[in-house]
Amino acid sequence: MQKPTHQILYNYSLNLLSRYSKSSPQLKEKLHQKFPEADLETIEQVITKLQDTRILQDDTLAKAYAQSLANKGKSPFEIEIKLRQKKFPLQLIKTTINKLLPDLNLEETVTTLAEKKIRSLQKFPKPEQKQKLLAFLHRKAFPSAIINTVVKKLLS
């Protein structure tokens, strides 16, 4: 089979990115899967060209994805896991989360999740509600101090 040219890889990348947001490592992996005979140097050149033209922007994508997850009530730890699954570089993940943390109101997020969960726990006695609520919030990986404050406020 013939090696795909730079232009073929570039056009495929543009087509793929027009449909789905991908990080650089994800795109590299996808190109390698689709074109196993392509040499890594050509794939790297395509990715570099996409980054230079600002079509592929890992930092912007990571920030938008992290903000989206935060808006859905995800904890910083859950956001980090999701960003790792998207294969973002570790340093970019740390930077993104550190920039996002000041904007997050973790207490408000935990309160919203707890209030929603309490509605489903109404059939249980108070001590069991508290136990189940604490377990639920700890599984979501929020800081213990915030969890304890919110649970004490809601169940007192």
Side-chain angles (χ1 to χ4, degrees):
M1 190 170 217
Q2 190 178 10
K3 278 188 177 181
T5 64
H6 183 277
Q7 192 61 44
I8 290 171
L9 292 173
Y10 184 76
N11 288 342
Y12 179 79
S13 298
L14 286 176
N15 187 20
L16 189 65
L17 291 171
S18 71
R19 290 181 280 138
Y20 309 104
S21 296
K22 299 268 185 213
S23 66
S24 298
Q26 283 180 310
L27 181 60
K28 182 178 181 179
E29 185 178 297
K30 190 71 175 171
L31 288 173
H32 192 62
Q33 285 174 354
K34 179 73 176 173
F35 304 102
E37 64 280 355
D39 60 279
L40 291 176
E41 186 178 323
T42 307
I43 291 174
E44 286 294 334
Q45 289 172 353
V46 167
I47 289 173
T48 302
K49 183 177 179 182
L50 290 167
Q51 289 170 333
D52 290 345
T53 56
R54 303 200 46 84
I55 294 170
L56 186 62
Q57 299 179 49
D58 282 349
D59 55 342
T60 306
L61 179 61
K63 183 180 178 190
Y65 188 56
Q67 187 63 55
S68 169
L69 292 170
N71 292 344
K72 292 178 183 175
K74 301 293 183 189
S75 71
F77 183 71
E78 288 177 302
I79 293 170
E80 181 179 340
I81 289 171
K82 293 286 189 181
L83 290 173
R84 284 181 185 216
Q85 288 172 347
K86 292 274 187 189
K87 298 185 169 71
F88 286 105
L90 198 53
Q91 186 58 41
L92 177 61
I93 292 171
K94 296 291 183 193
T95 305
T96 302
I97 290 176
N98 288 338
K99 285 180 182 176
L100 186 66
L101 277 176
D103 297 337
L104 289 180
N105 186 344
L106 291 179
E107 190 168 337
E108 184 180 306
T109 303
V110 172
T111 302
T112 304
L113 282 173
E115 288 171 343
K116 188 175 179 182
K117 184 67 176 174
I118 286 174
R119 287 193 290 271
S120 70
L121 298 174
Q122 292 299 321
K123 61 185 173 199
F124 298 104
K126 284 280 186 201
E128 198 172 341
Q129 281 182 14
K130 183 176 181 179
Q131 180 185 9
K132 289 181 181 288
L133 184 59
L134 285 170
F136 169 76
L137 294 171
H138 280 292
R139 282 193 302 272
K140 294 287 184 182
F142 286 101
S144 294
I146 293 174
I147 291 173
N148 293 333
T149 304
V150 169
V151 171
K152 186 182 283 185
K153 184 173 68 176
L154 291 176
L155 292 179
S156 55

